[in-house]
Amino acid sequence: NAGVMQNPRHLVRRRGQEARLRCSPMKGHSHVYWYRQLPEEGLKFMVYLQKENIIDESGMPKERFSAEFPKEGPSILRIQQVVRGDSAAYFCASSPPFSPGGNQPQHFGDGTRLSIL
Amino acid sequence: GENVEQHPSTLSVQEGDSAVIKCTYSDSASNYFPWYKQELGKGPQLIIDIRSNVGEKKDQRIAVTLNKTAKHFSLHITETQPEDSAVYFCAALGGFGNEKLTFGTGTRLTIIP
């Protein structure tokens, strides 16, 4: 049973270019989350999606960042016109649908390390 | 919003000794508290979690305790081994419908052989 798959593992972009990060959730998981981690820091929530819906994007910068989770295919985190401050590790997590027992555990992929030249 | 504080930031223990990492949270509505282990170049790996209706949970050498009144929870690792060396993160998650994890700043645990 494959875990959360993220690609690419490493991505280098020049300032002003676009970055696309992809995430395939675990089998049976319908909820996807994106987090950002700066060096030597904890993870910061960005966005929470279910299929074809953005549920909570309170952690997303208002400009240049967008996310989607289409009916078919992986979730995509898109960063337009990248700047040096976008350099970070971006992690995706997935969880099963809600259950009466409460919140479901979030399982993480190994991330995409984004470097901006 | 939720704020999670984690201590210590670094911890070194002799192999075979116990390690304890502590976290506090601010939002009394938080009801789910996972712990993650992150190795270099990898994503966070869920190692144990606890819900607010439970005071303690144990899984082999790892245990977590939760004090809802004081709003703090702790990770205990007994009989530490070199492969326990990693960065550990605590996190808190709010009530039903609030699905964003708020993470602590991490503890770098080093096991000295």
Side-chain angles (χ1 to χ4, degrees):
Chain A
N1 185 19
V4 177
M5 303 300 293
Q6 290 189 248
N7 66 83
R9 290 295 312 278
H10 301 274
L11 183 60
V12 179
R13 285 288 178 265
R14 296 190 179 279
R15 282 178 294 171
Q17 292 184 321
E18 178 181 288
R20 281 186 180 236
L21 287 62
R22 287 177 290 278
C23 169
S24 295
M26 288 178 68
K27 188 176 180 181
H29 287 194
S30 55
H31 299 191
V32 166
Y33 316 81
W34 287 93
Y35 293 82
R36 177 163 62 177
Q37 185 178 37
L38 295 172
E40 304 299 320
E41 292 188 12
L43 285 78
K44 303 285 189 215
F45 170 82
M46 298 180 74
V47 62
Y48 159 41
L49 311 101
Q50 297 178 20
K51 282 287 186 182
E52 299 184 279
N53 286 301
I54 295 174
I55 307 301
D56 183 346
E57 57 181 346
S58 58
M60 287 274 273
K62 293 289 184 268
E63 297 179 350
R64 303 188 297 108
F65 285 72
S66 62
E68 63 177 10
F69 188 17
K71 187 177 180 180
E72 301 290 339
S75 175
I76 305 287
L77 179 67
R78 182 183 178 202
I79 311 173
Q80 295 178 290
Q81 299 175 334
V82 297
V83 301
R84 288 243 171 90
D86 297 332
S87 295
Y90 292 83
F91 289 96
C92 170
S94 71
S95 70
F98 296 134
S99 77
N103 304 95
Q104 294 294 316
Q106 295 181 21
H107 297 272
F108 284 81
D110 282 337
T112 294
R113 271 90 184 150
L114 177 64
S115 298
I116 309 302
L117 301 180
Chain B
E2 176 66 278
N3 182 49
V4 177
E5 294 190 357
Q6 183 172 348
H7 301 280
S9 56
T10 60
L11 179 61
S12 295
V13 300
Q14 290 290 142
E15 182 178 354
D17 287 350
S18 296
V20 180
I21 302 171
K22 299 181 179 181
C23 290
T24 60
Y25 61 98
S26 61
D27 188 353
S28 56
S30 291
N31 60 9
Y32 173 70
F33 307 92
W35 285 88
Y36 289 88
K37 175 184 181 183
Q38 188 176 27
E39 297 176 286
L40 191 64
K42 298 281 192 178
Q45 176 192 1
L46 180 67
I47 56 171
I48 196 167
D49 55 11
I50 191 167
R51 300 186 187 275
S52 58
N53 58 350
V54 175
E56 183 174 357
K57 183 176 178 181
K58 190 174 182 180
D59 182 4
Q60 298 182 8
R61 298 186 297 109
I62 295 173
V64 57
T65 59
L66 171 65
N67 183 326
K68 280 183 62 180
T69 303
K71 288 190 276 189
H72 67 70
F73 56 113
S74 300
L75 177 71
H76 305 253
I77 306 174
T78 58
E79 300 172 21
T80 53
Q81 301 169 2
E83 53 264 37
D84 294 330
S85 294
V87 179
Y88 291 80
F89 292 97
C90 61
L93 194 148
F96 191 86
N98 179 358
E99 294 303 306
K100 51 186 174 185
L101 285 170
T102 300
F103 281 83
T105 49
T107 296
R108 183 175 298 278
L109 175 62
T110 301
I111 307 302
I112 305 167

